[in-house]
Amino acid sequence: MATQTKRPRRGALQSQSGWVPLLLALLHELQAPASRWRPYFALWPELGSLDHPMFWPEEERRCLLQGTGVPEAVEKDLANIRSEYHSIVLPFMEAHPDLFSLRVRSLELYHQLVALVMAYSFQEPLEEEEDEKEPNSPVMVPAADILNHLANHNANLEYSANCLRMVATQPIPKGHEIFNTYGQMANWQLIHMYGFVEPYPDNTDDTADIQMVTVREAALQGTETEAERLLVYERWDFLCKLEMVGEEGAFVIGREEVLTEEELITTLKVLCMPAEEFRELKDQDGGGDNKREEGSLTITNIPKLKASWRQLLRNSVLLTLQTYATDLKTDQDLLSNKEVYARLSWREQQALQVRYGQKMILHQLLELTS
């Protein structure tokens, strides 16, 4: 008597990443001799050749990328990959041995496919009115995924109900490369998700992060008594209730503007205001007049901030710079010496570009807050 393949119960393949159905489909098609996608798979890079930081030895990753935010992001990825594989993917494959051979029941292979999907898949952006919805599932788009990324791109992928179109955004001379955009990506995001960076100063979308808790630490450094320390924590809890800060959040600084403008301005204001003013604001439950007389927080406007705000921001930058294993001058010397730079490994070069771009933004803040 023929056995009937059980259908997975609704929600059985739901995961934190939302990628499990696509990854399972790829695992199945990879080992299917007559897969219609075999010509597409032949265009892929060798899975074992992917060189995202998640494949670097942990010690090398931490040594080269300390302070950039990449090691922490990778550790979260690796934990999520292991969890999804053992709790969802492997049980599903074992429940369907007719669909998945032993050859593809491998955490290492799953790990490689996650990196490939991270680098080559597309996700249709949500419309503004759909911001509260879950992100769209990733899809693989043969041919569209062969284009490389540049911040200064000359083509863009457009989504419509019936098709995807790669559209030139400027005239492209014959023989010139077509560059797509993967979004406004800082170098740390590019190396984390795609395994490459744009050399300084080409990536105009580059950013540097100041961890929110670092600003709290900087504020605590300025206290002298236990009462003052407790008041900083009280202000911090108030900011948390306003959803302006969080223990794992970061203020994102671009080359020309602060991308988390509202969060940073509100945080500087609350942490620096006189105690009586804070009590009044707290009594109003945060509903007081919060208009920004200081203007928008573009980089050029930072010197116009109140002196106490600038000092807190400056101290936060100094603490952030201490998280890197090297200083700006060390990285600058490596970059400016072409012979020395050429002797660096590819990973060392990529990591250097990430560190240097972030430090240049942070040092610009130092100058503006002095």
Side-chain angles (χ1 to χ4, degrees):
M1 185 172 68
T3 58
Q4 185 176 4
T5 302
K6 294 181 180 178
R7 291 185 177 180
R9 60 182 173 79
R10 182 180 295 273
L13 299 183
Q14 286 185 350
S15 64
Q16 186 175 348
S17 70
W19 294 7
V20 166
L22 173 60
L23 290 161
L24 278 167
L26 292 173
L27 285 166
H28 173 263
E29 294 297 325
L30 278 174
Q31 42 105 70
S35 172
R36 62 184 293 189
W37 301 108
R38 191 153 296 279
Y40 173 50
F41 298 152
L43 298 175
W44 282 4
E46 288 289 330
L47 291 177
S49 70
L50 296 171
D51 204 19
H52 296 56
M54 68 170 66
F55 298 112
W56 302 6
E58 182 179 358
E59 184 60 31
E60 182 178 17
R61 185 168 61 239
R62 292 209 165 271
C63 177
L64 294 178
L65 292 166
Q66 180 180 322
T68 64
V70 176
E72 294 78 8
V74 169
E75 288 304 316
K76 288 181 182 178
D77 285 346
L78 294 176
N80 289 336
I81 289 168
R82 287 191 294 267
S83 175
E84 285 188 356
Y85 179 77
H86 289 295
S87 64
I88 304 174
V89 176
L90 184 59
F92 184 83
M93 290 194 291
E94 290 175 339
H96 301 277
D98 54 325
L99 298 178
F100 300 94
S101 67
L102 290 174
R103 181 169 66 87
V104 295
R105 298 183 210 174
S106 160
L107 177 58
E108 181 182 6
L109 176 60
Y110 186 72
H111 191 177
Q112 293 168 343
L113 281 178
V114 168
L116 187 108
V117 168
M118 188 184 291
Y120 285 83
S121 65
F122 293 84
Q123 279 181 281
E124 183 176 1
L126 295 171
E127 300 292 336
E128 286 188 14
E129 62 272 13
E130 299 177 324
D131 282 347
E132 300 301 318
K133 288 178 59 179
E134 290 293 316
N136 289 311
S137 298
V139 294
M140 306 301 286
V141 187
D145 58 13
I146 65 175
L147 298 185
N148 291 320
H149 162 95
L150 276 185
N152 185 25
H153 55 283
N154 54 19
N156 193 29
L157 190 68
E158 294 184 358
Y159 295 82
S160 68
N162 301 316
C163 68
L164 297 177
R165 298 188 304 159
M166 191 66 70
V167 180
T169 58
Q170 56 186 269
I172 305 174
K174 182 179 179 180
H176 284 227
E177 184 171 355
I178 302 173
F179 287 100
N180 185 21
T181 173
Y182 302 163
Q184 291 181 304
M185 310 288 287
N187 267 347
W188 81 264
Q189 294 170 308
L190 287 175
I191 197 170
H192 169 224
M193 297 180 66
Y194 302 99
F196 72 92
V197 301
E198 289 192 67
Y200 187 86
D202 295 349
N203 189 355
T204 53
D205 295 322
D206 210 4
T207 62
D209 286 359
I210 299 174
Q211 296 302 310
M212 290 176 172
V213 292
T214 300
V215 179
R216 182 183 66 191
E217 185 182 346
L220 287 168
Q221 282 185 343
T223 61
E224 296 179 355
T225 66
E226 183 62 21
E228 289 176 346
R229 286 179 58 82
L230 290 175
L231 183 55
V232 169
Y233 282 113
E234 187 180 347
R235 295 171 192 250
W236 183 262
D237 290 341
F238 177 71
L239 287 166
C240 287
K241 289 177 182 176
L242 292 180
E243 297 185 346
M244 290 293 161
V245 298
E247 293 297 313
E248 296 186 359
F251 300 114
V252 184
I253 317 297
R255 289 191 187 176
E256 297 183 359
E257 62 182 345
V258 177
L259 277 66
T260 51
E261 174 189 1
E262 181 183 2
E263 291 83 355
L264 182 55
I265 281 188
T266 304
T267 299
L268 294 174
K269 175 182 177 181
V270 170
L271 290 178
C272 293
M273 65 175 46
E276 284 187 22
E277 190 177 336
F278 171 65
R279 296 293 180 206
E280 291 176 6
L281 180 65
K282 193 175 180 184
D283 290 342
Q284 296 169 359
D285 198 25
D289 184 11
N290 199 31
K291 68 179 181 180
R292 294 195 288 264
E293 298 176 1
E294 294 78 10
S296 62
L297 202 51
T298 60
I299 294 300
T300 54
N301 277 337
I302 285 177
K304 303 174 186 175
L305 297 178
K306 294 179 180 178
S308 59
W309 296 21
R310 293 200 312 273
Q311 187 61 52
L312 179 55
L313 182 56
R314 179 180 179 80
N315 292 342
S316 304
V317 172
L318 290 170
L319 286 174
T320 300
L321 286 168
Q322 291 175 17
T323 64
Y324 295 91
T326 58
D327 60 19
L328 179 66
K329 186 177 185 310
T330 301
D331 289 347
Q332 212 159 27
D333 290 345
L334 287 172
L335 273 173
S336 61
N337 190 322
K338 293 183 180 179
E339 290 183 6
V340 173
Y341 184 78
R343 288 199 296 269
L344 297 177
S345 70
W346 183 87
R347 291 176 180 178
E348 289 171 331
Q349 291 178 354
Q350 300 291 289
L352 173 59
Q353 295 285 353
V354 176
R355 298 193 310 263
Y356 185 70
Q358 291 183 350
K359 290 175 190 176
M360 287 295 287
I361 291 172
L362 292 170
H363 274 268
Q364 182 184 24
L365 274 184
L366 282 185
E367 293 179 9
L368 294 170
T369 54
S370 61

